[in-house]
Amino acid sequence: MASPPSSSSRFLLLLMLFLTASASDDVMRDDERAPKSESCNNPFQLVKVENWADGEKSLTHSGMSARFGSSLPEKAENSVRTPAIFSNPSDCCSPLTSKLFDSVALCIRGGCDFQVKATFSQAGGATGVLIINNEDDLAEMVCSNSTEANITIPVVMITKSAGEALNASLASGKRVEVLLYAPPRPLVDFSVAFLWLMSVGTLVCASLWSDLTTPEKSGERYNELFPKESRNAAAARGGYDKQVLKINSKAAVVFVIAASTFLVLLFFFMSAWFMWVLIILFCISGVQGMHNCITSLTLRKWQNCGQKTVNVPLFGEISIFSLLVFLFCVAFAVFWAATRHESYSWIGQDILGICLMITVLQLAQLPNIKVATVLLSSAFAYDIFWVFISPLIFHESVMIAVARGDKAGGEAIPMLLKFPRLFDAWGGYDMIGFGDIIFPGLLVSFAHSFDKDNKKGALNGYFLWMVIGYGIGLVFTYLGLYLMDGNGQPALLYLVPCTLGVIIILGLIRGELKSLWNYGTDSSLSTEPSYSEV
């Protein structure tokens, strides 16, 4: 139970983490290929559709405005409650026979172009158009040609489920009213600051973890408690049997190729059941990471906690403390999985994720800067290609499509740190992939080990400057995210130069680059365990 994962399972875990190596956000989609004209060049706006049935407030729906038509006010008080009526014909593809004066027309999608629907609705006296999509998603309503649209009323698309809710109220004979407005998203939300603190804090804790969890030795008393114990004995008292995975240059390249292959498979074959596989793997890995963090921190201070053991079928002799912690971690992960769609589920996901990343950074190590350069340069190219260049081949960004979970039935990849937007009328989360912490974290952990082995201080060492560089790289990442209007960014584009670039430049200036480059041994992926007391 306390033993580490096998080499194959650790490699698969790192592979999944690589797939989330791009900072992601609520991606704004924009079809630049569609024809445009002076009257068909509106920016797409997210629209709030408040509605009432017989004066009773109902659930607010979300929509998206069209390229054409009039703009909506940003505040609800600047808009007007208007009756909503289903058009006749329902697709709005021919002159309407229903009376729509001073009303919002409800039209179903299909049968003709969006412009045609809006033109007939406007001619029928409608003050606005709500087009009901044929699926629970929002599509971009663009112009079908470059001619002038001549639409002077707002045109908004809503999801299929939202249309069904409005239709149910109308079918029951209730008077339905809607109010449309488009609150803007803030340029910067304070959630970014919390996410920055979580990311940097996780990286620092993971790098210093061996120092933080080394048992407090007290001379003869410590030796009496744990006199050169075996691996089984360490596991029995709940200790973490640390098996280090050392990465070499060849493995780094193979890893990137394997990650790219897996990413393409996800892009083409992603489904709800496959997302469930990732969720289950995340829970299993999160349980192990959480168990490791709790037991190692506790046993550092109270070593006697691991003394009492019990025989468990299939697992053998396990400490009672370790077993209780394991059961707690399993219950925590199951609760998160069962409530992952709730507004508070991000807390459990972040806790499991942080513990998982701390554990991974104890299991995987870079031997020197040469291997770090190969790995991070490959990751740098990987991130840029699958975010920015892949649309030229696949017609959309493969990385963003996978992270968004477009074909996963509403499920999202869990390998992300999330924090809710506190001052955004649309809510949502700012997020960062585990890979954006893991891969720079390997270099930061190496810098700490190098400083420790060479007895370097904070200023003349490399660890502090790596942490500062990582923090600055994250700032650049989110600056790029906002300058690109919320479109997903390859975070490693900014993080690799701010970490790998910094340590190479510092090593060159200090005359230590050769030592950093050839430090340690460039061995194959190690499967030989090295034991350390926890």
Side-chain angles (χ1 to χ4, degrees):
M1 184 179 302
S3 60
S6 65
S7 296
S8 59
S9 64
R10 282 180 281 140
F11 187 84
L12 177 60
L13 176 59
L14 288 171
L15 192 64
M16 291 191 301
L17 294 174
F18 214 141
L19 298 179
T20 57
S22 67
S24 52
D25 204 349
D26 289 343
V27 180
M28 296 178 63
R29 293 169 289 182
D30 197 359
D31 189 353
E32 295 296 339
R33 297 169 294 173
K36 296 180 184 178
S37 63
E38 185 177 347
S39 61
C40 189
N41 197 28
N42 295 342
F44 293 119
Q45 291 179 296
L46 288 174
V47 178
K48 283 190 177 292
V49 183
E50 295 187 359
N51 64 99
W52 293 260
D54 283 346
E56 184 177 348
K57 183 73 178 291
S58 302
L59 181 68
T60 299
H61 303 294
S62 296
M64 185 166 63
S65 65
R67 278 281 192 207
F68 50 88
S70 63
S71 299
L72 289 164
E74 295 182 355
K75 297 181 179 179
E77 52 265 31
N78 295 331
S79 187
V80 179
R81 283 171 59 171
T82 308
I85 301 175
F86 252 109
S87 62
N88 186 18
S90 60
D91 60 5
C92 299
C93 290
S94 58
L96 307 184
T97 59
S98 54
K99 296 181 180 180
L100 295 175
F101 292 103
D102 295 327
S103 300
V104 171
L106 295 175
C107 307
I108 63 172
R109 183 180 181 180
C112 59
D113 294 334
F114 296 123
Q115 287 173 265
V116 175
K117 296 176 185 291
T119 299
F120 282 123
S121 298
Q122 181 174 283
T127 60
V129 185
L130 289 180
I131 297 179
I132 302 171
N133 200 6
N134 49 19
E135 57 186 22
D136 276 331
D137 196 4
L138 298 174
E140 296 167 344
M141 294 185 291
V142 298
C143 297
S144 57
N145 53 59
S146 58
T147 59
E148 295 297 319
N150 296 321
I151 306 298
T152 60
I153 59 176
V155 182
V156 176
M157 175 171 283
I158 58 176
T159 63
K160 179 182 178 181
S161 58
E164 291 173 346
L166 295 176
N167 183 44
S169 297
L170 288 169
S172 63
K174 297 180 180 179
R175 173 184 169 85
V176 174
E177 296 175 298
V178 296
L179 185 145
L180 310 177
Y181 64 103
R185 311 202 78 159
L187 181 62
V188 177
D189 191 275
F190 285 112
S191 61
V192 171
F194 291 101
L195 195 64
W196 186 93
L197 288 173
M198 282 199 297
S199 302
V200 175
T202 299
L203 184 141
V204 171
C205 285
S207 301
L208 301 177
W209 194 254
S210 59
D211 297 336
L212 296 174
T213 58
T214 299
E216 296 179 348
K217 301 180 180 181
S218 56
E220 295 181 0
R221 175 57 180 163
Y222 179 83
N223 294 327
E224 290 174 3
L225 287 173
F226 309 116
K228 295 183 179 180
E229 58 189 351
S230 66
R231 174 173 56 174
N232 291 336
R237 66 180 178 83
Y240 187 66
D241 180 18
K242 187 177 179 182
Q243 194 176 34
V244 176
L245 177 72
K246 290 190 176 181
I247 305 171
N248 63 14
S249 300
K250 181 180 178 180
V253 175
V254 171
F255 188 72
V256 174
I257 295 173
S260 297
T261 303
F262 193 30
L263 186 66
V264 172
L265 291 175
L266 275 177
F267 178 74
F268 284 109
F269 302 108
M270 179 181 286
S271 59
W273 72 266
F274 194 87
M275 193 63 68
W276 261 108
V277 172
L278 295 182
I279 290 172
I280 292 172
L281 288 175
F282 170 72
C283 288
I284 293 173
S285 303
V287 165
Q288 185 166 16
M290 194 174 180
H291 177 268
N292 167 51
C293 290
I294 293 175
T295 53
S296 56
L297 282 175
T298 304
L299 292 174
R300 177 186 184 274
K301 191 70 176 178
W302 299 286
Q303 292 113 7
N304 289 329
C305 289
Q307 292 300 294
K308 295 182 179 180
T309 62
V310 62
N311 282 317
V312 178
L314 301 179
F315 292 100
E317 189 180 11
I318 301 293
S319 79
I320 295 176
F321 171 72
S322 179
L323 179 61
L324 292 176
V325 171
F326 174 78
L327 294 176
F328 168 77
C329 295
V330 169
F332 187 92
V334 170
F335 178 78
W336 171 81
T339 61
R340 66 190 182 284
H341 296 303
E342 300 296 332
S343 60
Y344 53 80
S345 66
W346 64 272
I347 300 174
Q349 181 171 322
D350 287 352
I351 291 174
L352 288 170
I354 289 172
C355 292
L356 169 58
M357 287 186 284
I358 289 174
T359 301
V360 168
L361 286 173
Q362 306 312 301
L363 296 175
Q365 292 182 0
L366 293 172
N368 48 48
I369 295 302
K370 178 171 68 175
V371 176
T373 300
V374 174
L375 177 65
L376 293 180
S377 296
S378 300
F380 179 82
Y382 166 94
D383 225 11
I384 293 175
F385 179 85
W386 291 113
V387 174
F388 286 154
I389 302 178
S390 62
L392 301 177
I393 303 172
F394 301 93
H395 305 296
E396 65 176 315
S397 173
V398 172
M399 181 76 77
I400 292 175
V402 170
R404 204 167 53 203
D406 290 345
K407 304 174 185 177
E411 296 289 352
I413 287 180
M415 278 75 77
L416 299 163
L417 286 186
K418 303 168 60 176
F419 199 92
R421 295 194 183 101
L422 303 176
F423 300 98
D424 190 339
W426 292 98
Y429 299 87
D430 280 308
M431 299 174 282
I432 185 170
F434 288 177
D436 299 328
I437 299 174
I438 290 288
F439 293 101
L442 290 170
L443 180 59
V444 176
S445 295
F446 166 77
H448 173 65
S449 299
F450 183 86
D451 289 352
K452 188 175 180 181
D453 292 345
N454 292 276
K455 298 180 173 56
K456 288 183 173 291
L459 296 180
N460 68 339
Y462 295 92
F463 173 68
L464 175 63
W465 301 109
M466 289 294 92
V467 173
I468 293 174
Y470 179 80
I472 294 174
L474 274 185
V475 172
F476 287 151
T477 299
Y478 281 98
L479 179 61
L481 188 69
Y482 292 122
L483 291 177
M484 294 289 288
D485 294 326
N487 288 289
Q489 291 289 292
L492 295 179
L493 170 65
Y494 310 94
L495 296 174
V496 170
C498 290
T499 51
L500 181 62
V502 168
I503 196 170
I504 289 176
I505 292 173
L506 273 179
L508 190 62
I509 293 174
R510 296 173 177 176
E512 298 176 337
L513 183 58
K514 185 176 181 181
S515 176
L516 289 165
W517 189 264
N518 298 309
Y519 189 75
T521 58
D522 189 10
S523 58
S524 302
L525 288 176
S526 176
T527 57
E528 292 296 324
S530 60
Y531 306 115
S532 62
E533 295 176 330
V534 178

